[in-house]
């Protein structure tokens, strides 16, 4: 009885091992995709399905006794929708709204039957509409009416106030897609520090071009957003680079799964908590807490400030985006350096490796 060649047995065994590895890899990838899908549904529905105002910063302008009474009444509203405080006068209330310290203010005139509500739909139409509903319901039983004045109105071509959010989402998508493409060009494995620097440099170039393109489309081309095109360009470049560098960092640490982690943070957690479709005070506590710390939330806040609030109150958001960018650069480079140190030395007699990306 003849025996099969030994090399044939080894070949069959190797093919079986490769098949098992591919099957396991495919199973893990599909499981990861399904997990991201379910997290996407849970995050978006959890954040957006039942909007309720919570502790909305709100001013009251009135003579002292009337102001104290109104603040006390607003503090007693069920569910704590407002965080009321007295404001000295109408000019101060307007300034605090444009400085983004408060989201609205009620101007009470005890000598008349109509009060004035100051809102800022540029900060989100849903929030200004909620404040109108709340104050109207509060005043009607007292036989009083409410006149609304929009201190920082959204643009005529941005009636819902969502253009800032959509612009930031586009920049974020460009950031992680470009980084994923750069990382996967070598099989989704980080390479040496020189190649990591090249990828970061390409990411910076893409950020400059993408930031300019988004700002021009939103401003001069579509006239969807007012405000400085140059400021939006700078913001867009920072967002694209921050998201891209963070994605490269995740990929450098975790390989292919790192791209999924970037999508988890930016898309699944970041977008619904960004304050776009629903401004932050209308989100549940978890999303309200994480939103400002993630690129979509920091970017949306800054874009709205540039467009409708004279660029006020953007320092914290810009620091958040800068921190993401800096951390992405540092971790990407460190991951490449550590990987090179852990890589075994190549046998000089071995044939040279094939070309990489």
């Amino acid at each position: 009885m003849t025996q099969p060649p030994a090399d044939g047995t080894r070949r069959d065994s190797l093919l079986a091992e490769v098949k098992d590895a591919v099957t396991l890899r495919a199973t893990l990838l599909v499981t990861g995709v399904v997990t991201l899908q379910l997290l996407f549904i849970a995050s978006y529905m959890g954040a957006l399905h039942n909007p309720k105002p919570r502790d909305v910063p709100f001013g009251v302008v009135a003579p002292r006794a009337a102001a104290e009474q109104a603040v006390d009444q607003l503090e007693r509203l069920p569910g704590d929708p407002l965080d009321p405080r007295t404001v000295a006068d109408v000019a101060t209330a307007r300034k605090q709204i444009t400085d983004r310290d408060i989201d609205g203010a009620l101007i009470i005139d005890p000598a008349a039957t109509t009060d004035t509500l100051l809102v800022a739909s540029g900060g989100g139409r849903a929030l200004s509409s909620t404040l109108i509903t709340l104050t109207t319901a509060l005043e009607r039983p007292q036989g009083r009416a409410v006149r609304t004045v929009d201190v920082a109105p959204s643009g005529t071509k941005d009636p819902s106030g969502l253009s800032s959010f959509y612009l930031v989402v586009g920049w974020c998508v460009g950031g992680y897609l470009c980084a994923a493409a750069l990382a996967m060009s070598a099989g989704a494995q980080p390479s040496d520090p020189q190649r990591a620097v090249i990828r970061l440099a390409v990411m910076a170039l893409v950020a400059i071009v993408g930031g300019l393109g988004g700002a021009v489309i939103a401003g001069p081309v579509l006239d969807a957003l007012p405000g400085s095109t140059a400021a939006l360009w700078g913001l867009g470049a920072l967002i694209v680079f921050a998201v891209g560098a963070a994605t490269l960092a995740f990929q450098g640490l975790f390989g292919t799964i790192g791209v999924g982690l970037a999508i988890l943070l930016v898309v699944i957690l970041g977008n619904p908590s960004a304050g776009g479709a629903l401004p932050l005070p209308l989100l549940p506590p978890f999303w309200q807490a994480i939103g400002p710390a993630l690129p979509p939330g920091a970017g949306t806040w800054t874009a709205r400030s540039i467009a409708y609030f004279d660029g006020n109150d953007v320092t914290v958001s810009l620091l958040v985006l800068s921190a993401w960018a800096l951390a992405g650069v540092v971790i990407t480079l460190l991951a490449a350096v550590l990987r090179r140190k852990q890589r075994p030395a190549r046998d000089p007699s071995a044939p040279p490796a094939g070309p990489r990306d």
Side-chain angles (χ1 to χ4, degrees):
M1 183 174 181
T2 59
Q3 296 290 333
D7 58 344
T9 302
R10 287 195 298 270
R11 183 172 61 251
D12 292 343
S13 176
L14 180 60
L15 289 174
E17 291 178 5
V18 170
K19 182 178 180 181
D20 290 342
V22 171
T23 301
L24 176 60
R25 179 184 176 87
T27 301
L28 292 175
L29 287 174
V30 170
T31 301
V33 169
V34 172
T35 301
L36 288 176
Q37 177 192 50
L38 296 179
L39 289 173
F40 183 96
I41 294 171
S43 183
Y44 276 70
M45 294 192 69
L48 307 177
H49 79 289
N50 187 25
K52 291 181 180 179
R54 293 172 178 83
D55 295 322
V56 180
F58 190 76
V60 175
V61 179
R64 181 173 181 179
E68 291 177 351
Q69 181 181 1
V71 168
D72 181 68
Q73 190 176 15
L74 293 173
E75 287 178 338
R76 294 174 182 272
L77 291 174
D80 297 322
L82 301 177
D83 178 17
R85 73 285 307 268
T86 58
V87 178
D89 50 45
V90 176
T92 303
R94 283 178 170 270
K95 185 177 186 305
Q96 289 188 8
I97 291 174
T98 56
D99 287 345
R100 308 202 76 178
D101 294 326
I102 59 177
D103 292 312
L106 183 63
I107 317 300
I108 299 175
D109 182 2
T113 58
T114 299
D115 297 328
T116 301
L117 173 66
L118 305 181
V119 297
S121 62
R125 178 73 64 177
L127 180 56
S128 60
S129 298
T130 298
L131 293 178
I132 293 171
T133 301
L134 275 174
T135 53
T136 300
L138 188 66
E139 297 270 86
R140 186 180 295 117
Q142 304 174 28
R144 303 182 67 82
V146 176
R147 180 178 68 93
T148 301
V149 175
D150 201 336
V151 174
S154 57
T156 56
K157 295 186 179 180
D158 181 29
S160 62
L162 291 176
S163 293
S164 301
F165 172 61
Y166 293 144
L167 177 60
V168 170
V169 168
W171 279 328
C172 288
V173 169
Y176 68 72
L177 285 183
C178 179
L182 290 171
M184 290 182 177
S185 63
Q189 292 297 325
S191 54
D192 53 48
Q194 180 181 2
R195 202 166 293 273
V197 170
I198 292 173
R199 289 174 178 173
L200 288 169
V202 171
M203 196 68 250
L205 179 61
V206 170
I208 293 172
V209 175
L212 175 60
V216 169
I217 291 172
V221 174
L222 297 180
D223 195 25
L225 287 178
S228 168
T229 300
L232 287 175
W233 178 12
L235 173 63
L238 179 58
I239 291 172
V240 174
F241 185 77
V243 173
T247 303
L248 288 174
F250 280 121
Q251 186 274 334
L253 292 174
F254 305 107
T256 305
I257 196 174
V259 178
L261 291 175
I263 293 174
L264 172 66
L265 282 175
V266 175
V267 179
I268 294 176
L269 293 177
N271 285 353
S273 66
L278 293 178
L280 287 176
L282 300 182
L283 294 173
F286 172 75
W287 285 268
Q288 191 175 134
I290 67 172
L294 297 175
T300 299
W301 178 273
T302 306
R304 280 178 170 161
S305 289
I306 292 172
Y308 298 117
F309 297 93
D310 299 324
N312 293 325
D313 195 20
V314 298
T315 302
V316 173
S317 297
L318 291 177
L319 287 175
V320 167
L321 292 169
S322 299
W324 277 90
L326 179 61
V329 170
V330 172
I331 294 173
T332 298
L333 296 176
L334 284 177
V337 170
L338 292 174
R339 183 173 183 268
R340 183 177 65 175
K341 290 181 177 180
Q342 294 170 358
R343 183 183 302 163
R346 189 175 68 86
D347 184 356
S349 63
R356 294 181 294 178
D357 63 317

